[in-house]
Each structure stands twice: as C-alpha cells, then as structure tokens.
Amino acid sequence: MADILLKNVCKKFDNGRSVVDDFNLNIADKEFIVFVGPSGCGKSTTLRMIAGLEDISEGELWIDGQLCNYVEARERGMSMVFQNYALYPNMTVYGNLAFALKIRKYPKQEVDKRVHEVARSLEIEHLLKRRPSDLSGGQKQRVAIGSAIIRKPKAFLMDEPLSNLDAKLRTQMRVEFAKLHKALGTTTIYVTHDQTEAMTLGTRIVVMKDGKVQQADTPERIYRYPANRFVAEFIGSPPMNILECCVGQENGQTVLLLDEEYDSRFSGKRRIYLKGTLAKCLFHRYMGKKVLMGIRPEDVCEYEEAVSGGFADSCAGFTKRVKLREVLGSEVVLYLEDKEKNFVARLKPENKNQAGDFVELFFNPEKIQVFDKDTEENVLL
Ligand SMILES: Nc1ncnc2c1ncn2[C@@H]1O[C@H](COP(=O)(O)OP(=O)(O)OP(=O)(O)O)[C@@H](O)[C@H]1O
Ligand SMILES: [Mg+2]
C-alpha cells in the first residue's frame, strides 16, 4: 500500500524538449488513478518516472513519505503491467507467476501457495502448465497481471494493459480490474486511451495535454465541470458541443445570446436565461463580451422535454438543419449543420427528424458550461 506524491515533476530528454512539465499530483493510498490524453502527451513517461525506469529531470517523487528520485526501480515496490504482456516465453505459466518470488528467495511452499492463490483468483489455474505461446491474448494478460499481483506490491502501474485485447475481452477484463482493485485495495495508476475504462475504473482521472496536467478530478466532476475546452471536448463521446455566444441582459437577467449567424433565417429569440453563480460571474466579468458555451449532446432536447424539465421558457429554441440521423435503439443521435463542425444532439428514441429537416432544440440551462473565449478556461473554475 502506498501514497505517491509528485511535486513539480519535469522530464526533459536529451534534445532538451520538455515532455512532462510541472506535474503535481497527490495520490492517496488505495486510489485508482487513470491517466488519459492524446498520443505523445507524456502519460507513459510519467508512469515510467514513477516506476524508476526513467530519470526525473526536475521535481520530487515521494512514495510513502520517502523521497524516491534516486531509489532504484526494484526498491520502489511497484509492479508494472504493460500492453505487450512481457512474459518469459520459455517458462510455463507457473514459472512466470513464481519468478518474482523465486528471485526474492521465497520458500518453495510459500511460492506454491501464492501461485495457486493468484491463479485461482484470476481463473487461470488450469493453465499453469502451459507456455505463453499456447495462450490467448486475454489469458496472457491475466498471467501478466498475476505476476504483478503475486509480489503484493505497494502500487500497480499499468500502461494500456488492455489495448491488445478485442472489445469483448476488454470489457470483461475491465470489470475484473475493478473487482481486483476492490479486493486488494492496492494503489493503482492506469494509462488508457479508452474513455469507458477511464470513467468506470478511476477514482480520479488525470487529463494531460502536451506534458501538462489539464485537470485531475473525479470522473463525475471531469465530465460535468471540465476545467477547460480541451477537457470538455476530450472526455465524452460524442464530445461536448461548443458554441460561440454573447453575454447580454434581458428583463434584468443575464442571458447568453446565440450567435445570429448560425440561424439568421429564423425569427424568434435565441437566448438562454441563466441563474445562480454562472449568471453572476458572467454579469460581472463578461457582460457584452463573447464567450464559448458548452453543452453535452445529452443535455440537448426537444420542446416537450424542455417543458417537462421546466426550462422551456428560459431557453429559446435553437433551430438547425439535420445532416445525419443515427438510430441507436435507446436514443436517436442527430448531427446538425454548424459553422465549423458538428453539433450533436442525443434525443429520445421517439424523435422522427430525418436528414434535411429543420429541428428546434433546447438546452438545459443548468447543464451549460461557459469557457473564456481567449484562455478557453472554464469561467467558474
Ligand atoms: N527516450 C526518449 N527520447 C526522446 N523523446 C522521447 C523519449 N521517449 C518518449 N519521448 C517523447 O516524449 C513524448 C511523450 O511520450 P510518451 O510515451 O510519454 O507519450 P504517451 O502519452 O504515453 O503517448 P501514447 O498515448 O502514444 O502512448 C513524445 O513526444 C515522445 O516522442
Ligand atoms: Mg504511452
């Protein structure tokens, strides 16, 4: 069990380019931290610095209250699981599982007991005599995980451990990771490209871009209150819609005015009344200015739902032409014409709009996020 603290950690390779820049994170014991971000943003490098496989250029790494920058990898008590399994091909499954204990000179009986315990918990006991070449991808990954947990490490460091598996197996293994973490409670840092893995496994998600942490928070908060436009568009699929609009006033209330250019063919007011902290913040800092409004596709709805949700009056209809309609059974996804890119609405399955139709949509004002047009930071965070 371990808590891990990264303080102003930086990584520069020989070419002098900063690959990880001022990384700060305080990981509590038993946490399941997920790193996400575009390819090349520094996820693996950060993980490798924690594991001790890569030097830390600047900053401090503390594990369980001990400064570990110069502690050897094998002294750090971490177990790493990679995408490509890293099994010993000429050893049996038993040999692979037992290896880490044997080199640490554990008594034979203890080794045998633990191998069977771990194999049972991962349902690979029947495979103990086989070699890695005779295993499926999923089975290999179980063995790799087994050899990571058998040492009872202080923490697991996992770099895209499921990315070589097919979709079905991935889902299955994801559930098993969740169970395993619940049972063992071992601090885990997990790198993935998969949104579902990030949202379902993480106690906290760390979103990175260009070597910098953009936001580190619970999955719910990252989804609901993204710190900036990048996070808003990176997490969630289809991504959050972003619309430029202007902050104004109507009947003494702060409103967001949707850009006229979008649908000048239509009369009617395209404005949204705001309430609470957001209204106050916009009134004081952005009156008359342009901002970016963010709304998730599932927070867009048709008139009837806006009425039953009680916000039909505070949000005037917003009319757009349907480009593409996708029927997914439990919902209908409409892709609508917009200035630069798609505007996406996830609607109730009753929706009947076809491509080419105009559709009037409403936004739940309570679900709206607003970003500064220049910095792209969330105005409330
Ligand atoms: N040994 C190295 N020398 C120089 N540059 C490196 C080295 N290792 C990694 N990099 C660079 O550091 C950056 C971050 O790499 P890293 O592997 O951490 O990214 P990542 O977020 O894990 O990406 P991916 O999602 O593709 O695995 C990349 O631009 C990469 O080219
Ligand atoms: Mg990587």
Side-chain angles (χ1 to χ4, degrees), residues 38-45 48 83 159-160 191 193:
S39 188
C41 71
K43 305 179 293 294
S44 296
T45 306
R48 291 168 58 80
Q83 173 179 349
D159 199 348
E160 308 202 37
V191 175
H193 271 110

Side-chain angles (χ1 to χ4, degrees), residues 142-210:
R142 272 166 213 261
V143 179
I145 292 160
S147 49
I149 54 181
I150 202 159
R151 290 193 272 145
K152 303 194 175 154
K154 282 190 191 167
F156 292 126
L157 307 177
M158 306 201 181
D159 199 348
E160 308 202 37
L162 304 184
S163 58
N164 278 353
L165 306 181
D166 66 47
K168 189 159 167 243
L169 210 51
R170 239 186 130 115
T171 309
Q172 196 184 332
M173 288 301 289
R174 188 183 81 221
V175 175
E176 293 197 20
F177 271 134
K179 278 201 251 166
L180 205 62
H181 182 250
K182 211 164 172 210
L184 303 175
T186 312
T187 311
T188 303
I189 309 178
Y190 187 102
V191 175
T192 184
H193 271 110
D194 185 300
Q195 298 244 349
T196 319
E197 281 172 27
M199 293 298 286
T200 56
L201 289 173
T203 51
R204 278 192 295 162
I205 298 178
V206 178
V207 185
M208 297 177 70
K209 182 194 168 201
D210 300 336

Side-chain angles (χ1 to χ4, degrees), residues 14-31:
D14 299 337
N15 57 15
R17 203 169 62 87
S18 215
V19 164
V20 176
D21 188 15
D22 198 26
F23 194 112
N24 288 288
L25 190 66
N26 194 349
I27 303 172
D29 186 28
K30 296 193 171 44
E31 269 204 273

